[in-house]
Amino acid sequence: GLSSLDVDAYLDLCPMRVHGYNDAAARALTSFKALVPGTPNTLTNARLTNPAYKLAGGGFVMTPSDIALFGAAMIDAPSAKITAAERALLFTPIARNTNPPLGLGWRVDADAKGRARWHHAGSQEGGRASLVVYPDLRLSIAFASNVMTVPGDVLRPSADLADAFA
């Protein structure tokens, strides 16, 4: 049911696709321009990159609405797309010496108010996305930007939105 999910065929034209940009922080990570004195602190076009080498880690495109639907499908509910056993496999920390602990592809912790959350975020040149699931609130929050480093803290905006629904 994720109608926007597709492989990021970077040379194909995609209807409604936005262009990616880099700000000064992203340029410092990805561009020689950051080394040139006097480079203005403004947005620049992101380079065209081929994400095929990391299909599961950034090689797909999807709208934030569909990302949120994907997260909602993880929550224990009649409409859940996974079983309780699969949920336990995904969201039980297997790497506990990391901060936050890691489940199978998910960070598993609690926010500042003690609410359980499962989350994952990522970025690549010209974009960033985040998914935070609050299982006890039955809430899935997703957002994306077309700047690699925006927002810097991906969890605070989600916690603020969770406050509105709690």
Side-chain angles (χ1 to χ4, degrees):
L2 305 174
S3 61
S4 68
L5 176 62
D6 204 354
V7 172
D8 187 3
Y10 75 109
L11 291 178
D12 290 354
L13 296 178
C14 299
M16 305 298 291
R17 180 184 217 157
V18 298
H19 184 73
Y21 298 96
N22 288 335
D23 61 2
R27 283 197 312 274
L29 297 172
T30 63
S31 173
F32 174 76
K33 268 187 154 182
L35 303 175
V36 178
T39 301
N41 187 10
T42 59
L43 293 176
T44 58
N45 288 314
R47 295 177 299 180
L48 181 63
T49 57
N50 182 356
Y53 73 94
K54 59 176 183 173
L55 190 59
F60 290 103
V61 293
M62 190 177 353
T63 64
S65 298
D66 274 353
I67 295 171
L69 285 173
F70 175 80
M74 303 295 117
I75 298 169
D76 186 16
S79 61
K81 301 297 184 193
I82 62 173
T83 66
E86 292 165 336
R87 194 173 300 104
L89 177 66
L90 289 171
F91 303 114
T92 299
I94 53 178
R96 295 180 187 275
N97 294 333
T98 61
N99 188 15
L102 300 174
L104 190 58
W106 292 84
R107 292 166 178 89
V108 181
D109 65 359
D111 68 10
K113 294 186 176 176
R115 299 175 295 206
R117 66 182 176 193
W118 310 324
H119 54 99
H120 196 89
S123 63
Q124 61 190 35
E125 189 165 355
R128 185 170 181 121
S130 172
L131 173 60
V132 180
V133 177
Y134 284 90
D136 298 335
L137 297 176
R138 299 173 51 102
L139 181 63
S140 175
I141 300 168
F143 62 86
S145 74
N146 61 339
V147 178
M148 177 182 182
T149 57
V150 173
D153 175 2
V154 296
L155 296 175
R156 180 77 252 156
S158 295
D160 292 342
L161 284 169
D163 288 344
F165 290 94

